[in-house]
Amino acid sequence: MDSLNQINWTAVWSIIAVILLIGMGILGFFLVQKTQELQRSSMVLKKLQRSFSEIDEQAKLIVKTDLELHRARAELDKRLNGLEALQKTSRLMSTTLDQNEIFQRIDQPLITSLGFEKNLILLYTEEKKFQCRVDLGFSKEEITKILKNLNSDPTLNDSLREGYVFSSVSSVKQRREKITQMFGVEHFILSPIAAQTGMIGLIFVGNRSDASAVTAGDEELISILANQIGQSLENAQLFEQVYRSSQILESRVQERTKQLASALEDVQTISKNKSEFISAVSHELRTPLTSIKGYASLLMSGKLGEISEPIHERLDKINKHSDNLVKLINDLLDISRIESRKTEMRFDRCALQPIIENVHDLLTPQLREKNINWLAEVDEATPPVFLDRSHIERVFINLVSNAIKFTPVHGTISIRVRPDNDIIVVQVSDTGIGISAQDIPKLFDEFYRVDNEINQNLKGTGLGLSLVKKIIEAHQGRIWVTSEVNKGTTFHFTLPIEKPS
Ligand code: ADP
């Protein structure tokens, strides 16, 4: 029994042990299973955690990018506004050449639209000192102080002259602090205004400390503005220079004109006095000359008794010389009278043909004497002309007489007349000795006679052509001469067809 009991307990313990073993095996199996599951879950969890943090990072990036985008957009808007305002101001500035007007264009709306509340535009004077032309946001005392400090800072002046732009973002600390102190603002841009000649001024813009900091874009805008001001000021200065020199020129011309007018007046007075003197002297000479001539003729007539041949010869000479003198005096009198307008021209509508025929008739003996051919061509289209007949006849007589004098035998003298718009052109030509080029300019001077053989043998006064010129000019015509030595000479003159005013 004891043994049975013993066996039973062994069996029971064995069964229990087996059962326990199996149970533990099953439990172990489940445990392994669960552990594996747990491991898998923790891996998934880790992955999830990583994904979450990645998403979080991305979300942060998106927010940051959005913020930056907003800021960039705001900056862009600011720059666009500034550029628009600048463009408008530039257009206005380029339409004026007045310095004051240029400065008036740089007003508060422009500076505000560029994002600043304080502004100074200073011009560099000839004494190399700054002078304020535009100010915004500064008191008079502040400006005086700034100018004083600026004018006594050669280093800053030199840098500006070299074209440096200073700003609260890009300048070195020391310089930044100095400018901040000088202008009393934290955010600023200080740019030189340059022209071709170098720096002509500077522009300053600034903001209080609580305003946003200046950007590179602001610097660019202010540099553009400084350039535009420089160009406009340069144009205005150039215009002013041109205007000033034109005024100086004008006043000089006026002064010179005044001097010339007074000189002309003097000449006219002298000329009048000369004419009056000649006229008076000629008159005084003419009376005794007439008696000399009369007495000579009387003696020659033999009415006062017979005279010997030698005396007759001398008396004849007295007579001829007196004739020459009378002619000279008459010519002188005529010239001075025409000059002083004492001789009135009697204008009438006259045909040229009869005048020329008359002159031909008058001079036929001289023409025959030298066997000179005579040609007269008056264009059929030549209308009658308003002229003083007796004076124009004198012109022809003088010119033709000279032509006869200086043309050898068998030569030709021709007169041609043709109309040309509202004038007629007359040519008196000969085939005579001609006139050299150096004598031509003096030909119409009073008493001028060319030094040639004919003149040495023939008496003359040198007044004929001078008188001719005065008569033509009194008709408001023109006279000139063309000639070739040993070939011939042509005198050309014009006369207005209608009555001269
Ligand atoms: P004059 O005949 O009394 O010398 P004029 O005034 O008529 O004075 O002429 C001035 C000079 O012009 C003359 O002396 C002469 O030398 C020159 N002259 C004028 N007409 C002619 C001509 N047709 N040919 C050459 N020389 C001329």
Side-chain angles (χ1 to χ4, degrees):
M1 227 4 228
D2 270 357
S3 106
L4 187 71
N5 275 350
Q6 214 175 354
I7 293 165
N8 279 349
W9 276 111
T10 308
V12 170
W13 280 117
S14 298
I15 290 167
I16 289 171
V18 169
I19 291 169
L20 271 174
L21 265 174
I22 291 170
M24 274 173 72
I26 290 169
L27 199 69
F29 176 76
F30 274 113
L31 267 174
V32 169
Q33 283 264 310
K34 278 290 163 200
T35 313
Q36 276 178 351
E37 246 175 57
L38 263 173
Q39 268 177 349
R40 242 178 280 132
S41 297
S42 111
M43 269 167 67
V44 171
L45 207 70
K46 265 187 193 158
K47 262 190 192 166
L48 265 172
Q49 264 177 347
R50 223 178 298 132
S51 300
F52 270 132
S53 68
E54 265 174 28
I55 286 170
D56 190 41
E57 278 298 304
Q58 273 175 7
K60 274 186 195 157
L61 200 74
I62 287 169
V63 171
K64 201 174 149 207
T65 317
D66 190 50
L67 263 171
E68 268 171 20
L69 258 171
H70 259 86
R71 219 174 295 135
R73 200 195 174 123
E75 170 76 3
L76 213 69
D77 278 351
K78 194 175 136 197
R79 287 198 68 190
L80 260 175
N81 274 347
L83 269 172
E84 241 172 66
L86 249 185
Q87 197 194 20
K88 217 162 91 190
T89 310
S90 298
R91 220 179 308 127
L92 287 172
M93 274 201 275
S94 57
T95 55
T96 178
L97 288 167
D98 182 333
Q99 271 205 17
N100 293 330
E101 267 186 50
I102 292 170
F103 291 125
Q104 274 164 22
R105 311 279 194 232
I106 307 154
D107 49 9
Q108 187 173 13
L110 171 74
I111 301 300
T112 314
S113 66
L114 291 174
F116 296 94
E117 57 186 22
K118 285 175 180 264
N119 168 232
L120 279 180
I121 291 182
L122 312 177
L123 276 199
Y124 211 40
T125 61
E126 275 171 21
E127 294 81 37
K128 306 262 178 275
K129 295 267 176 252
F130 284 107
Q131 196 183 53
C132 185
R133 293 305 300 263
V134 175
D135 65 275
L136 180 70
F138 288 100
S139 69
K140 288 267 167 294
E141 293 72 37
E142 282 172 329
I143 296 170
T144 317
K145 211 167 122 202
I146 291 168
L147 286 177
K148 197 174 155 218
N149 289 333
L150 202 58
N151 285 328
S152 55
D153 189 336
T155 341
L156 180 61
N157 279 320
D158 285 349
S159 308
L160 285 166
R161 260 199 303 271
E162 279 169 31
Y164 281 104
V165 176
F166 298 100
S167 86
S168 44
V169 276
S170 58
S171 298
V172 292
K173 192 169 170 246
Q174 203 190 354
R175 177 55 75 202
R176 190 173 62 230
E177 279 171 358
K178 208 164 183 191
I179 295 175
T180 302
Q181 210 182 359
M182 199 184 278
F183 289 89
V185 287
E186 193 159 322
H187 308 296
F188 67 84
I189 298 170
L190 182 65
S191 166
I193 296 171
Q196 268 179 14
T197 46
M199 182 181 74
I200 54 170
L202 65 81
I203 177 165
F204 170 88
V205 285
N207 271 334
R208 299 172 323 270
S209 50
D210 56 347
S212 55
V214 296
T215 60
D218 291 332
E219 257 183 61
E220 222 172 282
L221 281 183
I222 298 303
S223 297
I224 294 172
L225 177 61
N227 268 346
Q228 181 59 51
I229 298 172
Q231 263 175 30
S232 303
L233 284 180
E234 196 166 37
N235 287 347
Q237 270 169 4
L238 279 175
F239 174 75
E240 229 172 74
Q241 270 171 16
V242 172
Y243 181 72
R244 223 179 297 139
S245 46
S246 84
Q247 281 211 320
I248 292 171
L249 208 74
E250 205 180 293
S251 76
R252 274 201 203 139
V253 168
Q254 271 175 3
E255 204 180 304
R256 198 85 194 95
T257 314
K258 230 190 265 168
Q259 283 173 355
L260 283 175
S262 115
L264 185 72
E265 230 170 75
D266 289 350
V267 168
Q268 277 170 342
T269 314
I270 292 168
S271 167
K272 194 171 156 247
N273 291 346
K274 183 199 79 175
S275 298
E276 278 169 9
F277 174 75
I278 290 174
S279 178
V281 171
S282 308
H283 262 300
E284 292 306 313
L285 283 174
R286 212 156 54 165
T287 325
L289 246 179
T290 318
S291 1
I292 292 171
K293 233 181 96 65
Y295 283 124
S297 303
L298 189 66
L299 285 171
M300 272 166 53
S301 69
K303 283 182 186 155
L304 296 178
E306 278 297 300
I307 50 164
S308 65
E309 194 50 38
I311 294 174
H312 196 279
E313 258 175 44
R314 306 299 191 284
L315 284 173
D316 195 35
K317 274 191 179 161
I318 291 175
N319 217 2
K320 275 190 186 140
H321 284 299
S322 304
D323 279 345
N324 285 340
L325 258 175
V326 169
K327 188 177 177 307
L328 184 136
I329 288 166
N330 283 344
D331 282 353
L332 265 180
L333 261 176
D334 285 337
I335 289 172
S336 69
R337 274 188 197 140
I338 294 173
E339 247 179 12
S340 57
R341 292 174 198 269
K342 275 189 189 147
T343 301
E344 234 187 75
M345 296 284 151
R346 287 187 197 152
F347 289 101
D348 259 324
R349 209 177 270 286
C350 299
L352 265 292
Q353 187 77 40
I355 295 177
I356 294 165
E357 276 167 14
N358 198 31
V359 171
H360 178 238
D361 290 348
L362 213 76
L363 296 173
T364 300
Q366 287 97 310
L367 287 165
R368 284 228 178 101
E369 206 181 305
K370 288 180 91 173
N371 260 320
I372 289 174
N373 300 312
W374 174 259
L375 269 170
E377 281 174 21
V378 179
D379 190 306
E380 275 176 12
T382 311
V385 176
F386 257 109
L387 47 81
D388 179 315
R389 185 175 173 143
S390 70
H391 276 101
I392 292 300
E393 252 176 26
R394 272 183 94 176
V395 167
F396 277 111
I397 291 168
N398 264 301
L399 294 178
V400 176
S401 301
N402 276 344
I404 296 171
K405 210 190 310 181
F406 297 103
T407 301
V409 284
H410 300 301
T412 302
I413 292 174
S414 43
I415 296 184
R416 287 187 182 82
V417 183
R418 65 177 167 84
D420 183 0
N421 294 317
D422 51 356
I423 57 168
I424 58 154
V425 183
V426 183
Q427 291 179 334
V428 180
S429 310
D430 63 55
T431 54
I433 60 167
I435 305 163
S436 70
Q438 75 256 27
D439 286 313
I440 285 181
K442 296 172 257 173
L443 218 60
F444 296 97
D445 290 354
E446 282 158 26
F447 300 108
Y448 188 77
R449 303 186 77 217
V450 177
D451 187 12
N452 59 30
E453 217 177 306
I454 298 177
N455 270 343
Q456 278 156 17
N457 296 326
L458 283 173
K459 288 272 166 288
T461 59
L463 287 173
L465 286 182
S466 175
L467 178 65
V468 162
K469 189 167 185 258
K470 295 270 170 342
I471 295 172
I472 297 296
E473 282 172 355
H475 281 75
Q476 289 182 11
R478 230 163 43 80
I479 182 161
W480 67 101
V481 62
T482 51
S483 185
E484 221 177 305
V485 175
N486 295 328
K487 286 249 170 82
T489 302
T490 301
F491 281 88
H492 314 249
F493 68 86
T494 64
L495 290 174
I497 292 168
E498 290 309 319
K499 191 175 183 176
S501 50

